[in-house]
Amino acid sequence: MHGVSPSVELVARLRAAGCVFAEEEAAQLVEAAGDPAELEALVRRRVAGEPLEPLVGWVDFCGLRLAVEPGVFVPRQRTALLVREVVAMVGPGDVVVDLGCGVGAIAAAVRAAVPEVEVYAVDLDLAAVACARRNLPADRVFEGDLYDALPGHLRGRVAVVAANAPYVPTDAIALMPREARDHEHRGALDGGPDGLTVQRRVIAGAVGWLRPHGHVAVETGRTQLTGTEAAMRAAGFAVSVREDDETGGVAAIGSTPGH
């Protein structure tokens, strides 16, 4: 319904349902709907608690409109911190791997900022892989379990392994907003008993894939940060931490010795 402005009633319905940015959401829903009946169906689903982004089919991340499908992890704005850190560490021709890529948000944003970078992305979730192949060159997106899915010719060539691996402890998933816990695939949220199960595998596995002076960059939570740093040091990395108070983003950077 392009060119149609959201009604006052529509904005009021969304605000009453708890949508903080009701005007913006109303405009996106109107844009996504083909006719009034479809708009009403979308609004009812949003009011019932479904996340906005899969309903409209996209998310705005680092200035990019990325495809998102129902069930797939929706990129959070706090992950822009990790993107900025990766961008600062790479140049033309460098290889960046986005592990547990979801819709491919990190790889897509890094590629947009440094067009000559060589990006590869991996996810275990077939729905996420399908989205990532819409947001990235399809032949650079692989389905599989972390490093197992990467082509062997990348071994020893990777400048940065970046990962927003799940870091929510299993018992804490019940405390997440319902948009996440009820509508995103559990594998994209569940980080195991202490939230670090997948992270530890990402960090330990990076050693065999990074080039000299390479980095592993991981988004983590404030309560998981000590464990993330310990995992990096155990793998032989020098560790630095970046935080963004505005978005709540936390990034741990592991650098190979000598950098």
Side-chain angles (χ1 to χ4, degrees):
M1 294 171 58
H2 292 279
V4 178
S5 299
S7 67
V8 173
E9 181 212 1
L10 171 53
V11 173
R13 285 174 68 187
L14 293 172
R15 187 171 288 116
C19 300
V20 177
F21 303 104
E23 290 87 354
E24 292 89 338
E25 291 201 13
Q28 290 183 37
L29 290 166
V30 168
E31 179 189 344
D35 55 52
E38 185 179 358
L39 175 61
E40 176 61 24
L42 289 173
V43 171
R44 288 188 177 189
R45 290 170 65 186
R46 179 64 183 129
V47 167
E50 291 190 42
L52 174 70
E53 293 85 0
L55 287 177
V56 301
W58 59 273
V59 61
D60 182 351
F61 180 75
C62 292
L64 302 175
R65 185 178 280 207
L66 300 177
V68 178
E69 296 292 341
V72 176
F73 182 82
V74 177
R76 313 303 202 246
Q77 297 309 314
R78 61 177 171 263
T79 305
L81 170 65
L82 189 64
V83 170
R84 292 195 298 271
E85 292 302 317
V86 175
V87 167
M89 294 186 289
V90 298
D94 283 344
V95 175
V96 174
V97 171
D98 182 356
L99 282 186
C101 66
V103 304
I106 295 171
V110 170
R111 183 169 178 261
V114 190
E116 300 87 353
V117 80
E118 209 177 316
V119 297
Y120 296 84
V122 175
D123 205 287
L124 195 57
D125 185 334
L126 287 173
V129 168
C131 279
R133 286 179 174 157
R134 294 170 60 189
N135 297 321
L136 293 164
D139 63 344
R140 296 297 180 86
V141 181
F142 300 90
E143 184 269 321
D145 185 20
L146 301 181
Y147 298 99
D148 291 347
L150 287 176
H153 68 83
L154 295 180
R155 193 177 291 276
R157 290 185 51 218
V158 179
V160 180
V161 170
N164 180 18
Y167 53 84
V168 179
T170 304
D171 290 345
I173 291 177
L175 306 176
M176 295 184 73
R178 66 175 182 169
E179 290 183 3
R181 70 172 188 265
D182 292 345
H183 296 285
E184 292 179 325
H185 294 164
R186 190 177 180 98
L189 306 173
D190 193 341
D194 64 355
L196 298 172
T197 300
V198 184
Q199 267 194 23
R200 288 191 183 97
R201 294 179 57 216
V202 169
I203 292 164
V207 176
W209 292 86
L210 292 175
R211 71 181 189 193
H213 308 308
H215 309 270
V216 57
V218 176
E219 179 176 311
T220 193
R222 285 192 167 89
T223 54
Q224 285 75 43
L225 179 57
T226 299
T228 303
E229 291 181 275
M232 287 185 170
R233 292 194 180 98
F237 293 108
V239 185
S240 58
V241 175
R242 305 286 187 271
E243 299 189 38
D244 184 333
D245 292 334
E246 185 176 340
T247 64
V250 180
I253 314 296
S255 303
T256 53
H259 193 80

